Amino acid sequence: MLRKTKFIQRFHQAFQATALNASLKGYSDPVVWLPLCCSGHTLVRGTSSSGAPSGSRTPTPAAAAASTSISGSTDETPLSVFARQREKLAAMPLYPKLLGFAGAIPFTTLTPAFVQQAGFPDIIDLCAQMQLVYGGSIVSFLGAVHWGLAMSSSTVAAAGSKAAGALNERYVWSVVPSLGVVPALMMQPAQGSLAITVLLGICYLSDASYFRSGYLPSWYMSLRGYLTLLAIASMLSTTAYYLKRDVEKAKKLIEEEDAKRAARLEARAVDASIAAVASAAVPPDAAAPWGRMRK
C-alpha cells in the first residue's frame, strides 16, 4: 500500500512538472503535449529534444510535426493555399513556364465550345481533329522527356546493376506514350479525345512516380500539374460535346423511325377501312352471279 501511495505521489509530481513545462513552451492542449511526454520527449526536465531553452515558446519542428499528426489539422486556409501556389509559380524557370502555358492555349481554343462561342460552328469538326493531333504530339513529347533525361544522365552504371535497370526502364517508357498515340489518332474525335485524356493521366502518374524517386525537379511537377489539368479539361470538353451530339442524333433517328412506323400503320389502317367500305357497298347478289343464272 505504501509503495502504491509513493508511486501515485511521484506520478502526480511528474504530471504537474510536465504541465508547467508545457505551458511555458506554448503547449496549451494536453492532447498535444501529453503524448509527446509519453513518447520520450524531455518536457519534464525542462528541455526539448533539440536543446532549446525551457523558456522558449516556439515548439521544435519535431514537436510541431507530431502535434500536426495528432490533431489531424494543419490550419490550412484558402489564402495560404493560393499563396503557396503563387510561390510555386514564382519558383518555376521563366522560359519553361512561358512555353508550357503557351502550349496549353491550343488545347483550350480548339475545343468545340470555344469555337462555337467564337462564331465558327462550321469548322468545329476540323478544330476537334486538330486538337486531337496536337494532344497526341504533346503526349509523345512527354515520353520523349524521359529519353532526353536518360541520355543526359551522368550516372555510370555497370551492366546488370540496379541503376542500369532503372536507366533502361526510362528508355523503354519514353517510347510507350508515342506508341499509344497512334491508335488514338485513328479514332473519331469523341473516342480519340477520351483516349488522349487517359494517356495524359497515365503520363502524369508516371512522372509523379519518377519525381518521388528523385529523377525530376519539383518545379517540373508543379508546372505539369497545371498544364495536365488544363489539357485534360479541354479534351474532356471535346468528348462531352461529341457524346452529346451523338446522343441527340440517336434520339432524332429514333423519332424519325417512330414517325415512319406510325405513318405506315396509319396508311395500313386507311387501306383497311377503304377495303371494308368497298366490300360493304357491293350487294350480296352481285357476289354470286352464277347462282342466279342457275336458278
Side-chain angles (χ1 to χ4, degrees):
M1 185 68 183
L2 183 60
R3 291 181 179 178
K4 292 183 179 179
T5 304
K6 289 182 178 180
F7 176 78
I8 294 174
Q9 290 178 353
R10 291 178 180 176
F11 180 80
H12 182 65
Q13 292 175 359
F15 185 85
Q16 288 180 342
T18 303
L20 178 61
N21 193 22
S23 63
L24 292 176
K25 287 179 172 296
Y27 296 104
S28 60
D29 191 358
V31 177
V32 175
W33 58 261
L34 186 57
L36 295 177
C37 174
C38 297
S39 62
H41 291 269
T42 57
L43 289 176
V44 178
R45 297 181 179 273
T47 58
S48 63
S49 58
S50 61
S54 60
S56 176
R57 294 184 176 271
T58 303
T60 61
S67 63
T68 300
S69 62
I70 293 172
S71 60
S73 62
T74 57
D75 296 334
E76 196 77 25
T77 61
L79 293 178
S80 63
V81 172
F82 291 138
R84 187 171 67 252
Q85 297 300 325
R86 187 166 58 250
E87 291 176 358
K88 288 183 178 180
L89 286 172
M92 296 177 189
L94 179 60
Y95 277 88
K97 179 169 57 177
L98 293 178
L99 293 174
F101 283 103
I105 294 176
F107 276 111
T108 57
T109 56
L110 292 175
T111 56
F114 185 89
V115 175
Q116 192 170 13
Q117 290 296 326
F120 303 100
D122 297 334
I123 60 173
I124 286 179
D125 294 337
L126 177 61
C127 291
Q129 193 66 35
M130 292 172 60
Q131 185 194 42
L132 181 62
V133 174
Y134 181 76
S137 66
I138 293 299
V139 172
S140 299
F141 169 79
L142 295 176
V145 168
H146 292 274
W147 182 283
L149 290 176
M151 288 182 61
S152 62
S153 177
S154 59
T155 303
V156 179
S161 63
K162 187 176 180 181
L167 197 62
N168 294 332
E169 178 187 349
R170 298 193 75 181
Y171 278 119
V172 172
W173 165 248
S174 65
V175 300
V176 171
S178 58
L179 295 177
V181 163
V182 175
L185 296 179
M186 299 174 65
M187 301 178 183
Q188 296 296 323
Q191 296 81 6
S193 57
L194 182 59
I196 294 297
T197 300
V198 174
L199 290 174
L200 287 170
I202 293 174
C203 289
Y204 181 81
L205 294 177
S206 175
D207 288 350
S209 176
Y210 281 114
F211 168 71
R212 288 191 295 269
S213 300
Y215 293 110
L216 293 172
S218 59
W219 66 263
Y220 178 75
M221 289 309 302
S222 300
L223 182 62
R224 280 293 314 280
Y226 293 110
L227 300 181
T228 302
L229 182 62
L230 289 173
I232 287 179
S234 301
M235 300 304 293
L236 287 180
S237 173
T238 302
T239 303
Y241 171 83
Y242 279 98
L243 287 179
K244 181 180 178 182
R245 195 175 74 171
D246 292 342
V247 169
E248 292 177 352
K249 285 183 178 179
K251 288 183 178 179
K252 187 176 180 180
L253 289 175
I254 292 174
E255 292 175 355
E256 291 178 355
E257 290 294 332
D258 291 341
K260 291 179 180 179
R261 189 180 299 108
R264 288 195 299 267
L265 293 175
E266 185 178 359
R268 290 177 183 176
V270 170
D271 293 341
S273 62
I274 292 174
V277 171
S279 62
V282 176
D285 294 340
W290 298 102
R292 287 199 307 270
M293 291 176 62
R294 226 182 256 122
K295 291 180 181 179

